[in-house]
């Protein structure tokens, strides 16, 4: 990554927005993630915003509160999607971030008229997503799922060479708060003579990190791995809802289709790589793992190719909601376990000449950690549906039931540093029609 | 399909545009396919047009030459993509078609100022394609390819139940005339200990029909098979370029990715289902094939679910071009052999609640006929690359070589009826960088 040298990461910085200075906020002044929002029920146009504490800086209200390159970037960010800001590139993003950091710091003139309370906002998918690609970067997930389908051969021979990915559906990606009806589809159980049709019986979530493309590339012009992070606008949380029974019957030979494309939920917030710079991590490899092919190698790979982002899945059942109980934590993992880095995904995706465009979204694939309790899906946590989970309130789950709300959370944290949070990606399953 | 009763199919109709009255034109007055175009080199805005003979009716120039619902539709069609016209639905499409048929008929006042010569036009992808899905509807293709990978088990158990499909890449779809550099990628031969990286050695085409979605559906609201054709704007030709060596190494377990997403070529012309109404065909099934599940069944399935569209692949090598030789025909097939109908693809795609939007594109998958000479890809014609083809000029081909231009053509024809043509989808492969 091209590091941009400025003081926006300084852990001693505080803001005149008091709520940004509490230790448990996701959005201290060192974070400044982007969204697209409007005041709820206002009927106003959606526009870009930046989180600070429990507020949003309204980029459409900035006017001459920032100037120069930052103002130019703010004008792009004030549109109803962030695509134009994304396409403007890292200098623009960094200039705006620095200007907002200075505007919001303790000691600067408080400008509360630039702020909207997050509690009063509604969010949109922050970009027009031209294409959505989902990867499969957790070797622990790939091994655990592979074991269910192929006990004798869990990890396929290409896994440690090819960053496996496939194209997903953009039209059903929604922002946190999404509700959707349980999908229906064809399934065939192992003892069934013929398939049958009905509501999915094995509905699952997948805990993923989303990667929004900033500047794209022209067709035929691959992005080298060493330059790839300058094409990344930022990261979000992503729940790749999955109908496991539909998937098992449909996926050969061309991969998942209706088992995935009914709904995908992302967080409204996009955290920039610049905000995450203090949380780089070493790349995860065993000594016996192969050296990647040259197009997947780059200078900073081993020291700082990874990202130390804690990830968490919470489940709120209808009973918990009715009785006012706290959602149950199903698992916790970390993006640093990913076998492939963000830069490698970008380089691989374009090495054949494929064009990425600003606003395209890449999913990391389910992020499961090395411990079985760190699994990022129920398929893994229940060992293919064979070992029900007992929740703290006594309820049991094998897969997701109607009325369940699944909440993904993510954050980077270290002693002496403010928490860089992702907010949440929450979605609720309604009964099949 | 809801048949709209009008006289636009009358085989006796002729046009005051003389070139529309020749027996070999793709574009008689009974066809009237849509495109997006502009005068070549003009720098003008792209806008919708309709083919008549060797001319294009400029929808932006129509003004009050049509009125009522047709004029409303023409205003939508005059924009720089056809998405808004597509979203307007079959009444709008049909009204515009009827008005254009009347405007262009022999006996009507000739209005040559509405026309642009196709020879002077350049074309754009006719819609902003939000999502692109590719299906696998030829049982002959699925069986032939399956035999190469799994000689003992060529057709998977789900094939006759599930219209197999997967998501493709929208960003690299281009209109006829596309050139692209040979993709590079990872491959591993059967005797290689490790994969290597380099230019694709087994580059192939796939002969497909493309289906443009007209009116979409809301998430969670499936389109019933019996109503599905009213959501189809029309059909085009589609070449799903494929890197077979990359595909073989990458495709397990999530399907094709870099082996497909470097380029997809479509014809500029979209032929409406109304124009194809005289060319409906019976649905292809053997007596032993299973009855489809109820959501894939509909009244007109057996009598007229299919479409009788001749399809053809031509190859022009660099030598042929240099020496002025006629392109060689590699194969010919017909869309009526498809195991699944257009209506079934739409119903299947949405049955889980997936939202389709106006301008989305579905590919039919490679259309191979029952005879091995009717195969829609070189992979099949050369039996996995083992039996080279000898072209009429003595050149040989196993897979596509640099400088080769592949041309897809398609048309519906019957004695006493004018030919309803699709024009062509042509693409040329340049050497890897």
């Amino acid at each position: 990554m091209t590091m941009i040298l400025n003081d926006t990461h300084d852990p001693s910085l505080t803001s005149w927005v008091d709520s940004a200075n509490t230790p448990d906020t996701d959005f201290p002044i060192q974070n400044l993630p982007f969204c697209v929002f409007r005041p709820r029920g206002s009927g106003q146009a959606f526009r870009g915003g930046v989180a600070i504490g429990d507020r949003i800086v309204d980029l459409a209200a900035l006017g001459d509160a920032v100037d120069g390159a930052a103002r130019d970037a703010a004008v792009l960010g004030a549109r109803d999607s962030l695509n134009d800001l994304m396409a403007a590139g890292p200098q623009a993003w960094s200039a705006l971030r620095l200007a907002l950091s200075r505007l919001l710091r303790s000691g600067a003139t408080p400008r509360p008229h630039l702020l909207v309370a997050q509690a009063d906002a509604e969010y949109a998918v922050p970009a027009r997503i031209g294409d959505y690609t989902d990867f499969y970067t957790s070797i622990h997930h790939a091994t655990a799922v592979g074991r269910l389908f192929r006990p004798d051969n869990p990890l396929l021979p290409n896994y440690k060479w090819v960053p496996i990915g496939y194209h997903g559906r953009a039209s059903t990606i929604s922002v946190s708060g999404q509700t959707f009806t349980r999908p229906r589809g064809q399934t065939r159980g192992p003892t069934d003579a013929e398939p049958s049709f009905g509501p999915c019986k094995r509905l699952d979530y997948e805990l993923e990190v989303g990667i929004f493309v900033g500047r794209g590339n022209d067709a035929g012009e691959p992005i080298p791995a060493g330059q790839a992070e300058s094409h990344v606008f930022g990261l979000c949380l992503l729940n790749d809802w999955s109908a496991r029974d539909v998937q098992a019957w449909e996926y050969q030979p061309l991969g998942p289709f209706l088992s995935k494309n009914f709904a995908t939920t992302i967080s409204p917030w996009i955290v920039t790589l610049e905000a995450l710079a203090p949380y780089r991590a070493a790349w995860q490899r065993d000594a016996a793992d192969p050296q990647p092919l040259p197009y997947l190698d780059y200078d900073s790979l081993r020291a700082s190719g990874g990202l130390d982002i804690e990830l968490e899945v919470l489940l709120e059942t209808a009973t918990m909601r009715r009785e006012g109980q706290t959602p149950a934590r199903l698992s916790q993992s970390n993006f640093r376990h990913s076998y492939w880095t963000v830069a490698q995904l970008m380089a691989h995706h374009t090495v054949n000449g494929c064009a990425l465009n600003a606003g395209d979204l890449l999913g990391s694939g389910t992020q499961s950690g090395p411990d079985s309790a760190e699994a990022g899906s129920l398929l893994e946590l229940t060992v293919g549906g064979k070992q029900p989970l007992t929740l703290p309130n006594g309820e049991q789950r094998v897969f997701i039931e109607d009325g369940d709300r699944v909440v993904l959370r993510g954050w980077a944290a270290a002693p002496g540093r403010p928490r860089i949070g992702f907010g949440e990606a929450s979605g609720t399953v309604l009964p099949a029609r």
Side-chain angles (χ1 to χ4, degrees), chain A residues 164-176:
Chain A
I164 297 292
Y166 66 106
H167 294 292
R169 180 92 193 164
S171 72
T172 46
I173 299 173
S174 290
V175 79
S176 186

Side-chain angles (χ1 to χ4, degrees), chain A residues 77-371:
Chain A
R79 295 180 181 163
D80 66 358
S81 81
L82 297 177
N83 294 67
D84 294 335
L85 177 60
M86 290 167 161
Q91 268 74 26
W93 314 331
S94 186
L96 180 55
R97 172 182 164 82
L98 178 59
L100 289 173
S101 174
R102 289 178 175 158
L103 191 74
L104 295 166
R105 286 176 195 180
S106 301
T109 308
R111 304 188 195 224
H113 63 282
L114 301 179
L115 306 179
V116 174
Q118 289 167 25
D120 298 334
E122 59 184 326
Y123 300 95
V125 174
R128 289 184 309 276
I129 299 168
D131 281 293
Y132 161 49
T133 300
D134 200 20
F135 284 94
Y136 196 56
T137 68
S138 166
I139 195 168
H140 308 295
H141 172 70
T143 305
V145 171
R147 191 173 291 124
L148 297 173
F149 288 95
R150 300 172 301 274
D152 51 337
N153 182 25
L155 200 66
L156 291 167
N158 57 10
Y159 190 85
K160 291 184 175 181
W161 296 96
V162 180
I164 297 292
Y166 66 106
H167 294 292
R169 180 92 193 164
S171 72
T172 46
I173 299 173
S174 290
V175 79
S176 186
Q178 180 173 27
T179 60
F180 60 91
T181 54
R182 177 177 296 271
R184 299 187 303 162
Q186 282 194 41
T187 59
R188 199 185 81 168
T191 59
D192 297 341
E194 294 189 351
S196 59
F197 180 79
C200 165
K201 295 189 181 75
R202 292 162 68 95
L203 183 64
D204 203 355
Y205 60 84
E206 290 195 341
L207 169 63
E208 302 198 14
V209 172
I211 301 150
F212 271 102
V213 174
R215 280 186 312 163
N217 64 303
D218 291 332
E221 301 284 354
I223 298 174
Q227 298 170 27
E229 288 197 2
S230 71
H231 292 261
V232 173
F233 182 72
L235 308 186
C236 66
L237 302 168
L238 187 152
N239 185 346
D240 177 27
W241 298 96
S242 298
R244 300 298 180 195
D245 42 358
V246 174
Q247 186 175 356
W249 174 232
E250 77 168 2
Y251 92 106
Q252 289 282 21
L254 298 178
F257 181 48
L258 297 191
S259 54
K260 300 275 196 176
N261 67 10
F262 55 91
T264 303
T265 308
I266 60 174
S267 60
W269 303 106
I270 307 177
V271 177
T272 63
L273 287 185
E274 196 176 325
L276 292 165
Y279 296 99
R280 305 301 305 212
W283 192 45
Q284 300 288 305
R285 278 296 183 281
D286 290 339
D289 290 335
Q291 159 69 20
L293 287 168
Y295 80 92
L296 294 171
D297 204 356
Y298 57 103
D299 286 346
S300 54
L301 176 63
R302 280 167 186 75
S304 61
L307 285 160
D308 182 7
I309 302 172
E310 293 286 329
L311 300 166
E312 182 180 73
V313 184
L314 305 169
L315 174 66
E316 181 189 70
T317 67
T319 299
M320 292 174 184
R321 204 155 46 243
R322 195 171 54 240
E323 317 236 326
Q325 297 163 350
T326 307
R329 188 164 84 182
L330 296 185
S331 70
Q332 189 164 357
S333 183
N334 193 300
F335 190 38
R336 72 170 180 271
H337 300 307
S338 175
Y339 193 84
W340 300 105
T341 70
V342 170
Q344 288 172 322
L345 301 185
M346 298 283 287
H348 183 66
H349 204 320
T350 60
V351 76
N352 67 340
C354 181
L356 301 181
N357 291 311
D360 286 348
L361 181 63
L362 316 184
S364 64
T366 309
Q367 294 300 301
S368 298
D371 189 279

Side-chain angles (χ1 to χ4, degrees), chain A residues 30-51:
Chain A
Q30 291 82 2
N31 190 349
L32 302 175
F34 289 87
C35 72
V36 166
F37 82 103
R38 65 179 173 189
R40 184 180 296 118
S42 68
Q44 294 176 13
F46 281 102
R47 64 267 198 170
V50 171

